[in-house]
Amino acid sequence: MKKPISILLIILVLGGGFFAFKAGILDLNSDAYYVKITTDGKVKEVKIVDGSIIKKYDYNFKAYNEKGTEIDVTFSAVKNLKKDRYLKISPKTTKDNEVNEIKTYEEVSKDKVPSKALSNLDK
């Protein structure tokens, strides 16, 4: 009785992990990178499905991980982000290690930014 339950449990755990990976919930190629907001975003007006127009702000920055590795990132926000703030971003990468989208970003305090990333951002 214990053996079939154990096998079923293993199958469920492996299947759940595979689903999370395929759905993008678990991205093994993703690493935390950090950016410093130094400029205002470029304003664009976008017409959405219901016909109304909203503003979005596009940003293009160099981002660095804890090892100091640099990538170029482009992302949008629905408001103009405050200058001299640090963001921790989670880029989603392709097999060729090119960033094709930012999954999440959050504001972090300067003391939460790894030293190698911070030295590059504060140049």
Side-chain angles (χ1 to χ4, degrees):
M1 184 69 170
K2 289 182 181 180
K3 195 172 189 174
I5 292 174
S6 298
I7 292 172
L8 180 62
L9 197 57
I10 290 170
I11 290 171
L12 286 174
V13 168
L14 291 175
F18 180 75
F19 172 77
F21 180 74
K22 283 299 202 183
I25 298 167
L26 174 65
D27 186 2
L28 299 177
N29 293 328
S30 185
D31 195 6
Y33 281 80
Y34 299 85
V35 299
K36 182 178 181 182
I37 305 301
T38 56
T39 62
D40 288 325
K42 184 178 178 183
V43 181
K44 285 190 177 180
E45 291 187 347
V46 180
K47 189 174 188 178
I48 58 175
V49 176
D50 69 359
S52 60
I53 295 176
I54 62 167
K55 288 183 180 178
K56 73 174 194 166
Y57 299 83
D58 292 337
Y59 295 90
N60 189 357
F61 289 111
K62 302 273 187 212
Y64 302 90
N65 66 8
E66 65 182 15
K67 299 173 190 169
T69 304
E70 175 186 298
I71 60 171
D72 289 313
V73 294
T74 302
F75 62 96
S76 298
V78 294
K79 63 179 184 175
N80 200 23
L81 301 175
K82 295 178 182 177
K83 292 181 188 172
D84 296 321
R85 302 291 174 103
Y86 297 90
L87 300 180
K88 177 181 178 182
I89 61 171
S90 298
K92 187 172 185 178
T93 56
T94 63
K95 290 180 182 176
D96 299 330
N97 217 24
E98 291 182 22
V99 175
N100 59 1
E101 72 181 74
I102 301 297
K103 293 190 302 185
T104 61
Y105 65 90
E106 65 176 303
E107 186 175 328
V108 294
S109 60
K110 186 175 182 174
D111 63 328
K112 298 287 185 192
V113 179
S115 60
K116 287 186 179 179
L118 187 61
S119 65
N120 285 310
L121 292 171
D122 284 344
K123 283 183 181 177

